Amino acid sequence: MIHLEILFFGKLKEIWNTKKLTMQTTSSNIEELYTELLTKASEVPHKASIKVAINDEFVDWNSQLKDNDSIAFLPPASGG
Amino acid sequence: MIHLEILFFGKLKEIWNTKKLTMQTTSSNIEELYTELLTKASEVPHKASIKVAINDEFVDWNSQLKDNDSIAFLPPASGG
Amino acid sequence: MFCLSDKKIDDQQLKQQTLDPSAGGFVCFEGWVRDNNQGKDVQKLAYESYPILAVKEGNKIIAETYEKFDIKKAYCTHRVGLLEIGDMAVWVGVSAAHRDAAYKASRFILDEVKSRVPIWKNETWTDGESGWVEQES
Amino acid sequence: MFCLSDKKIDDQQLKQQTLDPSAGGFVCFEGWVRDNNQGKDVQKLAYESYPILAVKEGNKIIAETYEKFDIKKAYCTHRVGLLEIGDMAVWVGVSAAHRDAAYKASRFILDEVKSRVPIWKNETWTDGESGWVEQES
């Protein structure tokens, strides 16, 4: 079991109805964690457009998780 | 015989050693006038790069001349 | 340098930073909040960001710009928080010896910032509704 | 609108004229007198023009720009007479709903003005010599 902080941005905040949550999980990488989180989502987001960051760095979907990581899920940027 | 005013700009002023001259001529178009003017030039300019205007409008080299026209010879623009 | 700003963007100061005596050309892009977008009347909007990552990614784009183009200086500032109609949302400025590099670098920064920097636009329309806006092409 | 100016270009005023509440993007190009050009140290320069024809041709370019691109407003002012290092030689500003049209229209105006508007640059170099400058590519 590891302890994680999860951050949601933009419209993903609405899909998960929160901007931040903390959780205990046995998921070992982002892919598994995301599948686990989908059970709490109000709708299924377009996964291919989501970017992921661990501890303020963009990472791949197969990146490994470790205790106390902060994971962010980011919808497509719409600045400018 | 027609009476013309001739204007030179940029480096063409140096080639003809004047920015303006008036003349009587039997030339009937720009092409003939230019050939006539070449006899007064200190060097032969690159004709293909020269643009011509009559009375403040760009015109073709075969344009006809009439009495009291103002003819301008313009080297390539170098603004900006 | 790339910055986020939660206050009005000071484009005059940014321009002064971008000027360079050996540069003959300066290209600047400003994005403003329009009174309409994608067919809806906009009342105001908010830009949310992921600040640490946004600044990191923005500066990565600026570094790439210096590598790819023969430019003197490049700056970009993006506004975040609540904006009114007519407010400046983004400023991009590039100085270069020649115009071609200045134009291309400016466009590169703007396009990359829009697609890569974690900033999201939430519009409030005149009908009282609001929503997250997808990137325009 | 295209103008010639024998005084310093007031870019702030030009920018105010170009702004439009329905425009989301503004692209501006400024050309300055550099301290060097084509390998020579420049002390000062003069732009000669054929004023009536220059204004006519410049405004023809602006009219073509409105036809070719989906823009709101476009202005261009070119300085003539004697300029010092750091003076602004040309200002081009375009506002548009979308960035792509703003960038393309701005570049179109600048390129066309440089190649078509009867203005000629005469540089004085630090060695005391001066001469007419051919267009750079």
Side-chain angles (χ1 to χ4, degrees), chain C residues 11-12 15 18-37 85 88 91-92 95-104 106-108 110-111 114 135-137, chain D residues 11-12 15 18-37 85 88 91-92 95-104 106-108 110-111 114 135-137:
Chain C
D11 55 292
Q12 282 305 103
K15 183 174 160 183
T18 313
L19 303 195
D20 187 296
S22 63
F26 167 72
V27 171
C28 136
F29 176 89
E30 297 179 3
W32 298 313
V33 180
R34 279 182 291 158
D35 56 12
N36 67 88
N37 188 27
I85 306 298
M88 199 184 295
W91 188 95
V92 180
S95 63
H98 298 287
R99 66 190 189 276
D100 192 59
Y103 270 103
K104 285 181 178 156
S106 162
R107 184 69 194 265
F108 175 79
L110 181 64
D111 288 350
K114 277 175 169 269
Q135 185 65 272
E136 298 160 57
S137 64
Chain D
D11 56 292
Q12 283 305 103
K15 183 175 160 183
T18 313
L19 303 195
D20 187 297
S22 63
F26 166 73
V27 171
C28 137
F29 176 88
E30 297 179 2
W32 299 312
V33 180
R34 280 181 290 157
D35 56 11
N36 68 88
N37 188 26
I85 305 299
M88 198 184 295
W91 188 95
V92 180
S95 64
H98 297 287
R99 65 190 190 277
D100 192 59
Y103 270 104
K104 285 182 179 157
S106 162
R107 184 69 193 265
F108 175 79
L110 181 65
D111 289 349
K114 278 175 170 270
Q135 185 65 271
E136 297 160 58
S137 64

Side-chain angles (χ1 to χ4, degrees), chain A residues 16-74:
Chain A
W16 271 279
N17 202 31
T18 184
K19 64 179 188 179
K20 185 175 179 175
L21 57 84
T22 55
M23 63 189 286
Q24 306 281 340
T25 181
T26 55
S27 294
S28 67
N29 66 27
I30 298 285
E31 202 60 73
E32 286 174 34
L33 173 67
Y34 182 76
T35 305
E36 185 182 346
L37 285 168
L38 274 186
T39 61
K40 304 182 187 183
S42 63
E43 60 178 287
V44 179
H46 181 55
K47 187 188 160 198
S49 71
I50 295 177
K51 287 188 178 175
V52 191
I54 299 180
N55 303 330
D56 307 325
E57 293 281 1
F58 284 120
V59 296
D60 294 333
W61 280 85
N62 57 10
S63 296
Q64 297 296 303
L65 300 170
K66 59 184 197 308
D67 200 28
N68 294 318
D69 274 350
S70 173
I71 317 300
F73 291 96
L74 317 171

Side-chain angles (χ1 to χ4, degrees), chain B residues 10-11 13 56 75 78 80, chain D residues 47-48 50 56 78 119-120 134:
Chain B
K11 69 175 181 186
K13 289 191 299 191
D56 307 325
S78 58
Chain D
Y47 281 107
E48 180 189 22
Y50 181 161
K56 214 181 265 184
H78 201 297
I119 296 175
W120 303 275
E134 303 278 314

